[in-house]
């Protein structure tokens, strides 16, 4: 089944402390793995490649449960592939996180009483680099705590020299292919950060505002519009109605007076307007609303910008110089004084966008920006999934992917920041525009009138190149040839559009149609134990480092993996992490027991003819588990594979095989030697199977058990094909006997360790060879003199007679059960009476009737159970 790394005799059991202390193991063990180069991938290797690039965390970030979740799964995939003989590369790195990082440094400067403008661009950027070296990358050390098996020698940063060259290269190519252009359009604008921001950087929340209805025009030539942003009416250039709306047919094409101004604006007909919503008439402000901008484009309307980048009103009149929110109240007051407010509703709760970094209300704003023409790129990204070159898992997530790539708008890639990849475009003294590639010189100097564009690129532009820029592109490196295309992109379903689609577009474009990854494995989001989103405002955010400190990294990893069903959210609570810690302790204690009882991996497994039914059963189950776990890995079913390993290890190996084998070990001889080898094999393979998910405890135990160098470089188990249905049926019978008698003992209130005289009649059954083990598991003493069978249990074709005299107070037990039986019968009578009352049934709600039916069912079950317990009690 496996090839042991070394065939050395196991170290003495005393090498393992009596208790597992993760803090004493994890840090030093991880550094040993790194120092020995276990995670370093060799581009010159003849082994098949397996590649995953890490979704680069922000340089400002720290490890949160979402990171820990996805990193655990990626680590499990790459560790298993390494054990399977692949040249396994998990490439780490960080994103420069333009706006987040710039904000961090600007906050530092504010504490010094300065702004970035006091320093100037070059000095400010140098200050950001200093911040990055001193404070950035905190998450990298935390990844080591988690056990991430990444190739640290290949760590990349989206602003390092190689990746910067990749950014400049692809910008130049896209520009030359007319897929990048500059145009004035509506964007999300943060008046605090003073930059365009992407949709993902906008957080929508329900805010309490006001909805005011305003009358435009006079008399019959008037109409009413409703708005939550009254101040924007100063920039209205039309009112729009639906072309089929009979109410406004007489106004279409006419000019009406815009209140508070000296302007008249047209009434236009546009099918975008919903005649059923509100009054069926909408104000059109093309410079301050994306839908209005589209209407303006269709009707050739002018766009009036009425506020500056700080959100301050710039149009002439009494509102000039007012903040947008101050102007909102002032505009409503002025309209009210003119009698133009038809209705007011406050508070009016509606969804409002906020900058995710500074929480400022985002302002839609007409702005000159750089854009990527996504049409042909998005088409290629959709085709790659449709024709099967890229698989999305789970498959039902494909619809969400297609919804986005098939309906994608052109992408605004410019940001008004200083930290980031500066746009490689120069403007000349005579209106020239020149895009400069990485190996080209600027067309002229500042003294000659040439200036570089002041904007930087959206962070997602550089992270969209991540699968190939990190491997050396645009150079044709050994890494690129060996490890591209990457095999799996494992990421959350929430960033399909923002990151996944961009990598698909850029990868196919830059790599001549070669996909950036073969499979997109989408995960859900981590939530608290009640399924609620984790948020600082909810007070339910958990620092994974706290749980790792308390329970160990393996415990956190196993909990996360055990909740990882493809594409669905993952609830997690501290109790579950504690349970996973208990599992790690169980593995530790079982391995110590095995070593103390001579478990060994030396030499081949004994022939099947020398194996007991118990040995054959556990080896069959072991191979079935290998087959099952492999299938789950290929289907990214981390929860199922973790659950299968948990139940196999805890239930079958530790609770059954180890317990059933204790009598064999105590008896000694050849049978004990055979079981010692079988137990060694089972633990060896089980630890290998568990290693990708819980690497620390398994590596510590495996090296002690086998004398091998490390599980990181050990072989992955293979299913030998060994099966034994007869042995499985035989052990199932043993389990039935033990389970049934344990249940009876519990019903009678016996303590687990309390010994009871018993006679086992196993003649003519397959159970006879297991009598010693059954007696030990059930704490059953031999019959002895004066034995009296006061309770007899027929089970699994055998008979277990127990002498409970002197063990329990039969009279007291009968009295207790009789009281319970009377209560159950009373409950049944009451429920039956209610369900037989036609008047009650006619009036009672369905849920009440269903509840009473449930009570009746429960009462019937209790009566049957208690009657059976009374029947089994010794006769008085």
């Amino acid at each position: 089944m496996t090839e042991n790394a070394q065939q050395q005799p196991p170290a003495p059991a005393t090498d393992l402390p009596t208790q597992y202390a993760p803090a004493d193991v994890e840090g030093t063990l991880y550094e040993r793995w790194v120092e020995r180069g276990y995670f370093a991938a060799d581009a010159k290797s003849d082994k098949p490649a397996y590649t995953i690039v890490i979704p680069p965390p922000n340089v400002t970030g720290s490890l949160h449960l979402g990171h820990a979740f996805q990193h655990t799964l990626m680590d499990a995939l790459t560790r298993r592939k390494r054990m399977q003989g692949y040249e396994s590369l998990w490439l780490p790195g960080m994103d420069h996180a333009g706006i987040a990082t710039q904000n961090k440094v600007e906050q530092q400067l504010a504490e010094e009483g300065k702004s970035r403008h006091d320093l100037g661009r070059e000095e400010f950027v140098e200050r950001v680099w200093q911040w990055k070296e001193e404070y950035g990358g905190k998450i990298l050390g935390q990844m080591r705590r988690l056990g991430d098996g990444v190739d640290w020698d290949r760590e990349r940063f989206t602003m390092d020299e190689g990746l910067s060259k990749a950014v400049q290269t692809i910008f130049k190519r896209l520009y030359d292919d007319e897929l990048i252009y500059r145009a004035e359009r509506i964007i999300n604008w943060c008046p605090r950060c003073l930059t365009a921001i992407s949709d993902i950087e906008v957080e929508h929340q329900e805010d309490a505002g006001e909805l005011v209805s305003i009358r435009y025009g006079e008399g019959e030539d008037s109409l009413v519009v409703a708005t939550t942003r009254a101040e924007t009416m100063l920039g209205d250039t039309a009112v729009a109605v639906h072309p089929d709306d009979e109410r406004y047919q007489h106004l279409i094409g006419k000019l009406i007076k815009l209140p508070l101004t000296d302007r008249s604006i047209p009434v236009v007909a546009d099918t975008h307007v919903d005649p059923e919503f509100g009054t069926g008439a909408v104000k059109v402000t093309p410079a301050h609303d994306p839908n209005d901008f589209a209407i303006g484009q269709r009707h050739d309307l002018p766009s009036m910008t009425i506020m500056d980048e700080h959100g301050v009103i710039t149009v002439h009149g009494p509102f000039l110089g007012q903040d947008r929110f101050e102007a909102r109240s002032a505009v409503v007051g002025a309209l009210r004084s003119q009698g133009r407010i038809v209705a007011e509703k406050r508070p009016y709760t509606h969804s409002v966008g906020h900058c995710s970094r500074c929480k400022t209300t985002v302002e839609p704003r007409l702005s000159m920006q750089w854009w990527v023409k996504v049409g042909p790129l998005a088409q290629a990204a959709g085709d790659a999934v449709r024709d099967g070159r890229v698989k999305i898992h789970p498959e039902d997530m494909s619809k969400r992917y297609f919804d986005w790539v098939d309906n994608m708008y052109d992408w605004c890639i410019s940001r008004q920041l200083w930290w980031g990849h500066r746009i490689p475009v120069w403007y000349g003294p005579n209106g020239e525009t020149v895009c400069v590639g990485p190996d080209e010189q600027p067309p002229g100097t500042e003294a000659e009138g040439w200036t570089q564009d002041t904007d930087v690129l959206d962070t997602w532009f550089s992270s969209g190149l991540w699968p190939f820029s990190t491997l050396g592109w645009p150079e044709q490196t050994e890494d690129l040839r060996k490890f591209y295309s990457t095999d799996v992109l494992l990421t959350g379903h929430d960033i399909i559009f923002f990151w996944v689609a961009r990598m698909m577009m850029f990868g196919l474009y830059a790599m001549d149609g070669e996909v950036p990854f073969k499979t997109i494995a989408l995960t859900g989001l981590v939530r608290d134990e009640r399924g609620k989103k984790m948020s600082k405002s909810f007070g339910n955010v958990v620092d994974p480092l706290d749980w790792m400190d308390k329970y160990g990294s393996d415990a956190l990893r196993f909990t996360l993996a055990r909740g990882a069903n493809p594409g669905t959210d993952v609830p997690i609570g501290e109790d579950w992490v504690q349970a996973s810690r208990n599992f790690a302790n169980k593995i530790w204690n079982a391995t110590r027991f095995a070593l103390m009882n001579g478990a060994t991996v030396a030499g081949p497994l004994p022939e099947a003819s020398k194996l007991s039914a118990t040995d054959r059963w556990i080896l069959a189950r072991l191979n079935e588990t290998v087959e099952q776990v492999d299938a789950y890995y290929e289907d990214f079913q981390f929860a199922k594979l973790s659950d299968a390993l948990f139940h196999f290890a805890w239930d079958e190996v530790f609770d059954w095989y180890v317990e059933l084998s204790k009598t064999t070990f105590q008896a000694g001889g050849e049978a004990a030697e055979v079981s010692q080898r079988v137990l060694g094999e089972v633990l060896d393979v089980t630890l290998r199977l568990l290693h990708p998910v819980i690497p620390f405890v398994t590596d510590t135990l495996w090296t002690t058990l086998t004398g091998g160098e490390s599980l990181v470089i050990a072989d992955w188990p293979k299913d030998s094909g060994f099966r034994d249905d007869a042995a499985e049926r035989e052990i199932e019978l043993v389990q039935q006997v033990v389970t049934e008698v344990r249940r009876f003992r519990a019903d009678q209130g016996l303590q687990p360790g309390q010994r009871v005289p018993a006679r086992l009649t196993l003649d003519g059954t397959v159970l006879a060879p297991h009598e010693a083990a059954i007696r030990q598991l059930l704490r059953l003493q031999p019959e002895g003199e004066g034995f009296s069978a006061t309770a007899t249990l027929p089970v699994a074709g055998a008979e277990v007679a127990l002498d409970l005299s002197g063990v329990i107070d039969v009279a007291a037990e009968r009295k207790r059960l009789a009281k319970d039986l009377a209560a159950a019968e009373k409950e049944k009578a009451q429920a039956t009476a209610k369900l037989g009352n036609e008047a009650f049934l006619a009036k009672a709600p369905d849920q009440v009737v269903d509840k009473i039916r449930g009570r009746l069912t429960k009462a019937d079950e209790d009566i049957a159970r208690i009657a059976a317990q009374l029947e089994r009690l010794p006769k008085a």
Side-chain angles (χ1 to χ4, degrees), residues 5 120 126 260 287 426 431 442 459 462-463 506 587 623 725 750 841:
E126 179 59 34
L260 307 183
W426 270 256
T459 297
S462 51
S463 61
F506 281 169
I587 301 168
N623 279 281
D725 294 341
L750 296 176
L841 293 177

Side-chain angles (χ1 to χ4, degrees), residues 80-150:
R80 172 174 174 262
K81 285 296 184 179
R82 189 178 293 112
M83 295 173 75
Q84 286 183 313
Y86 286 79
E87 197 60 44
S88 190
L89 170 61
W90 186 18
L91 193 148
M94 293 182 299
D95 192 289
H96 66 278
I99 190 169
T101 309
Q102 178 157 321
N103 278 350
K104 288 281 188 184
V105 179
E106 287 196 84
Q107 289 166 14
Q108 271 191 348
L109 289 173
E111 292 172 3
E112 301 170 13
K114 299 177 182 177
S115 74
R116 59 177 162 135
H117 299 285
D118 294 324
L119 273 65
R121 184 166 193 144
E122 289 187 14
E123 189 176 341
F124 176 78
V125 170
E126 179 59 34
R127 179 73 175 258
V128 180
W129 278 108
Q130 291 172 9
W131 181 93
K132 185 257 182 186
E133 294 304 316
E134 186 172 355
Y135 301 105
K138 176 182 178 183
I139 193 172
L140 299 178
Q142 296 167 339
M143 287 163 55
R144 302 171 93 94
R145 279 289 313 277
L146 189 65
D148 283 8
V150 296

